[in-house]
Amino acid sequence: MAAVSARGLYKVFGPRPEEAVRRLQQGEPVADVRADGATPAVVDVDLEVQPGEISVVMGLSGSGKSTLIRMLNGLLEPTAGTVHVGDVELTGLDEDGLRRLRQERLSMVFQHFALLPHRTVLDNAAYALEIRGVERAERRRRGAEALEMVGLGDRAGNRPSELSGGMQQRVGLARALASGTDVMLMDEAFSALDPLIRREMQDQLVELQRSLGRTVVFITHDLNEAMRIGDRVAVMREGRVVQSGTPTEILRAPADDYIASFLADVDRSRVFTAEDVMAPPRPVDGELHRMPRAGLRTPLADLLQPAATGGGSVAVTDDAGEVVGVVTAASMLSALGGLPGSVEGTSADISKEAVRG
Amino acid sequence: MAEVNEIVPLPHVPVGDAVEVAVDWVGDVADPVFDAFSTGVSAFIDAFVTLLLLPPPLVLVALLALLGGLIRSARFGAGSLVALVLVVSMELWVEFVETLAFIIGATLVAAVIAVPLGILAARSARASALFKPVLDLMQTMPPFVYLIPAVAFFSIGTVPGFVTTVVFALPPGVRLTELGIRQVDAEVVEAGTAFGGTPRQILRGIQLPLALPTIMAGINQVIMLALSMAVIAGLIGGGGLGSVVVRAISSLDLALGFEAGLSVVVLAIYLDRLTAALGSGTPRLRLERARSLLNRGSTSTEGGDTGSETASEEQRGSEQRNSRRPALR
């Protein structure tokens, strides 16, 4: 079962929202509805987030992504459609039920951290537990644990204002981790940070998510970030999801020119992995044992140096250490340099079929 | 007025008469309530004054100066000491204390009414729209006008002055409480909601603490308005420094008037600086610093006053508290 799912979700601001939804459902274009005064922010969105994955919703400002994430924990009430968290229908809950669901199942990390300036870092980290009525010693223990996880164990006694932006967002992350909910909603969580810190935080998030198995819904306007951390990515435009899939799927076959135009900025060497670009090993290939080795999930960027020093090709091994493919200089260059979509139909696809078949 | 009405034939709308009739009616109907209220308020103020006059004047002066020194700064404490001793030497101490008790009582009552109203106004746009004109009226109506119905309800003495003062001083308390709560970062409030906080938890844990400096600025304004009204209340037998001022006016006694006026200024500055320091969060830093000093077992007292030193000492203090915690568990 999906950890979070949305079905036919609409949010319209302005006068007579229900009527606007009805018109949209009948297929009227958003522009026509907008011309009559209503503002459709989210239009007919379906979203499935599987447990333990990082699901990224990417879109520019005004695309409806922030509205969408706020409907997933009931901060905003959908105009139409349903939201399920696990087996609970969030959209059918009363105030009390909604509060309980937020306390037990959903936590959130905010763009500008939203920490309590008058509390210590530790009290901030333990805030969600305090709301839930966990007794003091226990919540401080779990808050300290979460701070330890994000590398701020020694800052428990500080005030948030004494920390840098990156550290403050780590406190925000610790607050969400300490709450122990299985779903974490992250609203532009790294957008206010410097590029270097942002990358560090992305890596840390991926690492934490792998070790803790939390389900993450991550909102961003940065496609590069989406591709770096997302197991799945949904691209939003004008309230609708225009494409969703794994980063590789989107990179290979952008659904339209709008998405293709974004892809120009994406660091493809970080999205494609050895598995995506390898060709099946030929049995007659006598040089196989002399090639440098790399795992299936190694990003392309990390294959470049071994390939350069090892004669142009890298042997790809599966988890058992068996050689399952070869990445050649040519396949890497075509993946990196090809215009968006041009990787499609290269050896990569064929090799995958071969390996899996 | 009559001349204008002769040129433009408008009937005189009897606004004033209507209000008078209404006030008379309220006075008749609610007379027992007002009597009980009156007894309560004057008993409270009398008891407070008696308490404050219990120690010899110079002891209370020293206590007030010490309080100023602890909450604001050593310099402020020393300044208060000099000014308060001057009041004692001008033989206005009893009146000074009466006015002080009056102001503290009126401010407490005004705050107890104003802060909840401000919270209500911050939460409901309708309440806010409703309060606004009423507060405008309360604040801009010339204060002398309040004295008339107050005397009608409570006759002359301390109580009508007290009620007038509360009404006149209330508005900034409501306004700044509303403003303070509305100004709290929306994302932080959203965080409270997102983690499943009840409106009450969000109010107590997020909105009120973050609005506190603004609310305290409002209370500070309440005190200042109360002080100005307290002098006017001297006209209806309010007692304290106000009645000295009134006596000085009626006998054109400049020396007495100036001394009474100066005492009012001393009281105003003392209360203003004290509550301003309360609002800025300094006392908490001072408390934590004091605690960290105790933790270290150090005997040194007043350190430097720079922000960084305060912050680092606070930090060290909390680190020590942290390092001690495992032992306590």
Side-chain angles (χ1 to χ4, degrees), chain B residues 42-56 60 93-94 97-102:
Chain B
S42 52
F44 171 78
I45 293 179
D46 287 348
F48 199 16
V49 170
T50 312
L51 178 76
L52 289 176
L53 288 177
L54 210 56
L60 184 59
W93 185 246
V94 174
V97 167
E98 279 173 7
T99 301
L100 176 66
F102 183 91

Side-chain angles (χ1 to χ4, degrees), chain A residues 39-173:
Chain A
T39 311
V42 169
V43 180
D44 195 17
V45 166
D46 291 325
L47 191 72
E48 286 259 313
V49 181
Q50 297 306 323
E53 75 175 12
I54 299 185
S55 184
V56 180
V57 178
M58 183 268 162
L60 298 186
S61 53
S63 62
K65 58 190 191 304
S66 288
T67 308
L68 175 63
I69 200 175
R70 276 166 178 70
M71 288 194 282
L72 297 185
N73 66 352
L75 287 177
L76 288 175
E77 197 184 335
T79 315
T82 58
V83 173
H84 282 81
V85 176
D87 51 359
V88 180
E89 189 192 334
L90 180 144
T91 28
L93 292 174
D94 59 2
E95 277 292 308
D96 259 355
L98 191 56
R99 265 199 288 277
R100 211 164 319 120
L101 187 77
R102 287 174 183 149
Q103 288 177 5
E104 289 161 9
R105 309 282 288 273
L106 298 160
S107 52
M108 194 163 182
V109 181
F110 294 84
Q111 180 171 10
H112 299 108
F113 326 137
L115 301 175
L116 303 176
H118 60 296
R119 305 264 196 114
T120 62
V121 164
L122 179 61
D123 285 339
N124 268 290
Y127 179 71
L129 300 168
E130 183 185 331
I131 290 283
R132 209 186 298 170
V134 175
E135 59 112 13
R136 189 181 155 87
E138 168 71 4
R139 67 171 190 253
R140 289 177 78 100
R141 187 183 62 73
R142 282 162 66 180
E145 229 171 65
L147 285 177
E148 211 59 65
M149 274 188 243
V150 298
L152 285 178
D154 55 338
R155 293 308 194 105
N158 285 85
R159 305 251 169 218
S161 58
E162 294 165 338
L163 306 184
S164 68
M167 287 180 175
Q168 291 191 31
Q169 191 56 300
R170 288 208 172 104
V171 179
L173 193 56

Side-chain angles (χ1 to χ4, degrees), chain B residues 22 53 58 93 149 179 192 217 223 234 241 249 256 272:
Chain B
L53 288 177
L58 288 181
W93 185 246
L179 179 73
I223 293 177
L241 293 169
I249 293 174
L256 181 66
D272 176 64

Side-chain angles (χ1 to χ4, degrees), chain B residues 164-239:
Chain B
T164 318
T165 304
V166 169
V167 171
F168 182 65
L170 197 67
V174 181
R175 288 212 168 109
L176 284 164
T177 301
E178 177 184 355
L179 179 73
I181 290 179
R182 283 187 188 273
Q183 272 178 342
V184 171
D185 184 355
E187 210 185 39
V188 181
V189 176
E190 198 175 46
T193 315
F195 283 105
T198 62
R200 172 182 285 266
Q201 282 174 319
I202 292 168
L203 181 69
R204 291 189 47 180
I206 298 176
Q207 289 171 313
L208 282 182
L210 295 189
L212 193 63
T214 313
I215 296 176
M216 284 310 294
I219 300 298
N220 178 283
Q221 289 301 302
V222 169
I223 293 177
M224 292 301 109
L225 285 182
L227 199 55
S228 68
M229 193 67 202
V231 174
I232 294 172
L235 284 174
I236 51 170

Side-chain angles (χ1 to χ4, degrees), chain A residues 2-309:
Chain A
V4 180
S5 64
R7 291 256 165 284
L9 210 54
Y10 283 85
K11 180 71 187 181
V12 178
F13 295 104
R16 296 193 305 279
E18 282 83 8
E19 190 195 310
V21 167
R22 214 176 46 244
R23 288 171 59 190
L24 289 165
Q25 280 168 340
Q26 284 160 3
E28 274 190 58
V30 169
D32 288 6
V33 176
R34 197 185 295 270
D36 293 341
T39 311
V42 169
V43 180
D44 195 17
V45 166
D46 291 325
L47 191 72
E48 286 259 313
V49 181
Q50 297 306 323
E53 75 175 12
I54 299 185
S55 184
V56 180
V57 178
M58 183 268 162
L60 298 186
S61 53
S63 62
K65 58 190 191 304
S66 288
T67 308
L68 175 63
I69 200 175
R70 276 166 178 70
M71 288 194 282
L72 297 185
N73 66 352
L75 287 177
L76 288 175
E77 197 184 335
T79 315
T82 58
V83 173
H84 282 81
V85 176
D87 51 359
V88 180
E89 189 192 334
L90 180 144
T91 28
L93 292 174
D94 59 2
E95 277 292 308
D96 259 355
L98 191 56
R99 265 199 288 277
R100 211 164 319 120
L101 187 77
R102 287 174 183 149
Q103 288 177 5
E104 289 161 9
R105 309 282 288 273
L106 298 160
S107 52
M108 194 163 182
V109 181
F110 294 84
Q111 180 171 10
H112 299 108
F113 326 137
L115 301 175
L116 303 176
H118 60 296
R119 305 264 196 114
T120 62
V121 164
L122 179 61
D123 285 339
N124 268 290
Y127 179 71
L129 300 168
E130 183 185 331
I131 290 283
R132 209 186 298 170
V134 175
E135 59 112 13
R136 189 181 155 87
E138 168 71 4
R139 67 171 190 253
R140 289 177 78 100
R141 187 183 62 73
R142 282 162 66 180
E145 229 171 65
L147 285 177
E148 211 59 65
M149 274 188 243
V150 298
L152 285 178
D154 55 338
R155 293 308 194 105
N158 285 85
R159 305 251 169 218
S161 58
E162 294 165 338
L163 306 184
S164 68
M167 287 180 175
Q168 291 191 31
Q169 191 56 300
R170 288 208 172 104
V171 179
L173 193 56
R175 175 170 65 184
L177 289 172
S179 74
T181 60
D182 34 44
V183 177
M184 272 167 55
L185 306 176
M186 302 185 71
D187 178 28
E188 297 263 10
F190 303 150
S191 301
L193 305 176
D194 298 338
L196 218 63
I197 308 284
R198 191 188 307 178
R199 197 134 64 157
E200 224 176 276
M201 295 288 287
Q202 290 164 356
D203 293 343
Q204 190 173 29
L205 176 69
V206 170
E207 218 170 274
L208 281 169
Q209 190 264 347
R210 272 193 198 134
S211 61
L212 300 173
R214 300 281 170 88
T215 307
V216 177
V217 181
F218 194 103
I219 300 289
T220 181
H221 63 262
D222 177 356
L223 188 58
N224 227 337
E225 180 168 73
M227 296 274 173
R228 259 179 83 87
I229 64 174
D231 294 313
R232 297 188 67 80
V233 177
V235 182
M236 282 185 80
R237 185 188 187 186
E238 286 175 355
R240 293 177 194 274
V241 171
V242 285
Q243 186 174 14
S244 71
T246 65
T248 321
E249 281 167 9
I250 292 177
L251 206 47
R252 282 207 180 129
D256 56 24
D257 290 348
Y258 176 76
I259 297 174
S261 68
F262 277 114
L263 294 176
D265 291 335
V266 169
D267 182 354
R268 305 162 77 88
S269 73
R270 290 261 157 221
V271 178
F272 285 125
T273 60
E275 186 176 11
D276 297 326
V277 293
M278 70 187 184
R282 281 166 298 175
V284 290
D285 223 333
E287 294 174 359
L288 215 52
H289 65 277
R290 271 188 277 133
M291 289 181 191
R293 302 276 163 114
L296 278 170
R297 282 176 294 277
T298 315
L300 201 50
D302 296 343
L303 295 176
L304 297 177
Q305 209 205 351
T309 54

